[in-house]
Amino acid sequence: MKSSLFLLLIFVAVDAVVVTVVSAASGSAILSLTLGAAAAILTILLYAWTARRIEKREPTDVPRAGWFRATARGTLAGVGLFVATVLPIAVFGGFRIAGWGSFGGMLTIFGLMMAVATVEEVLFRGILFRLVEQRTGTWIALAVSATLFGLLHLVNDPSAIGGALAIIAAGSMTAAAYVATRALWLPIGLHLGWNFAEGGIFGVEVSGSDNAATGLLRGVFDGPALLTGGGFGPEASVFAVLACLVTTWYLLRVAQRRGNIRPRRPAQNPENQDA
């Protein structure tokens, strides 16, 4: 238990440091890309090292084989899911493109999101979800990790309860991706692709953050909060929630077919312990 808590504290600190350092490089696309990639790689290496040294286990959820393909597929899927969210919003008149933004800004956001997606998925799926699942089974672990993931984003806007609920749906999706593959590459890719499309391509704020978005386009969402997500951004749109929930359902079906759903561990019998 102590080692688990220590591991969580390590990566909470890593999360804070990574976001601070990479955000500080937002004025340079090249520097942001370099630092973002370096932060992502170092986070994975640190996770593998702590797994061996602190937990005394092999980090099978960060396999070397196929890592690039799985991450790339996840990234493309994340971009596609966000585009699928924006299209119905546009059909109902809640989205328009006001002009071009910045190509350099797009690359800067990609660098930042590489780091953010990696460290958050390691923290919430690789550590928190996995440790809770060992004690309570897959379903409770999914609920716990997704809920805490959503509550974390209230830091951006403490009043955005609807936004936090929407992020819980997104956290359920990446947790389901982890269960389906038993690896971190697909959830990292989904997280990266979604955030990059939101901020880097469409140029809108990510998860209620008030940072000025300078993506490739200058997207404008305007209309009822249920349609557009309101002040939190399109992640809180009903269409974003639906996209995440449908994907979660699909991935959990894949996980069930593969036998990756794990039951709650039965309580140990004190008499057996004495024996």
Side-chain angles (χ1 to χ4, degrees):
M1 184 64 181
K2 289 182 179 179
S3 62
S4 300
L5 180 59
F6 182 52
L7 198 63
L8 280 170
L9 291 175
I10 288 175
F11 280 91
V12 167
V14 169
D15 188 3
V17 171
V18 164
V19 172
T20 300
V21 171
V22 180
S23 296
S26 60
S28 168
I30 294 177
L31 185 58
S32 180
L33 283 171
T34 302
L35 287 178
I41 292 169
L42 290 174
T43 296
I44 294 297
L45 292 176
L46 178 62
Y47 175 65
W49 184 84
T50 55
R52 294 187 179 98
R53 295 298 297 270
I54 296 176
E55 296 184 285
K56 309 300 181 185
R57 69 175 183 90
E58 275 301 308
T60 56
D61 49 358
V62 284
R64 294 182 182 180
W67 72 268
F68 181 81
R69 182 179 179 183
T71 307
R73 289 175 62 185
T75 302
L76 290 175
V79 171
L81 282 169
F82 191 79
V83 171
T85 296
V86 171
L87 286 177
I89 296 175
V91 168
F92 284 99
F95 172 75
R96 62 184 174 85
I97 297 174
W100 291 101
S102 165
F103 183 76
M106 180 186 71
L107 296 179
T108 296
I109 292 173
F110 188 79
L112 172 62
M113 294 309 165
M114 272 197 294
V116 169
T118 302
V119 72
E120 288 189 356
E121 291 307 314
V122 166
L123 175 60
F124 283 94
R125 259 53 73 177
I127 300 174
L128 180 63
F129 175 89
R130 181 176 51 79
L131 293 175
V132 175
E133 186 187 41
Q134 289 173 0
R135 293 176 175 272
T136 67
T138 298
W139 300 114
I140 293 177
L142 191 149
V144 169
S145 67
T147 299
L148 291 178
F149 184 63
L151 293 177
L152 173 71
H153 288 76
L154 283 175
V155 173
N156 295 335
D157 184 356
S159 65
I161 302 300
L165 293 174
I167 298 299
I168 289 174
S172 298
M173 177 177 68
T174 55
Y178 181 77
V179 177
T181 61
R182 288 295 165 182
L184 282 165
W185 308 128
L186 182 61
I188 288 173
L190 282 171
H191 195 152
L192 168 60
W194 180 280
N195 282 6
F196 168 65
E198 188 172 16
I201 296 176
F202 290 97
V204 294
E205 58 190 27
V206 178
S207 304
S209 171
D210 58 2
N211 293 331
T214 56
L216 183 64
L217 304 173
R218 290 193 290 119
V220 178
F221 288 85
D222 185 27
L226 188 65
L227 175 66
T228 66
F232 192 84
E235 279 176 302
S237 163
V238 64
F239 293 110
V241 174
L242 285 173
C244 290
L245 291 179
V246 169
T247 306
T248 299
W249 171 80
Y250 169 75
L251 289 169
L252 288 176
R253 288 201 63 182
V254 172
Q256 287 181 316
R257 288 200 302 268
R258 294 176 176 176
N260 287 349
I261 303 295
R262 296 175 181 172
R264 182 172 184 173
R265 187 169 64 182
Q268 292 182 333
N269 190 326
E271 295 180 359
N272 293 338
Q273 289 181 333
D274 292 339

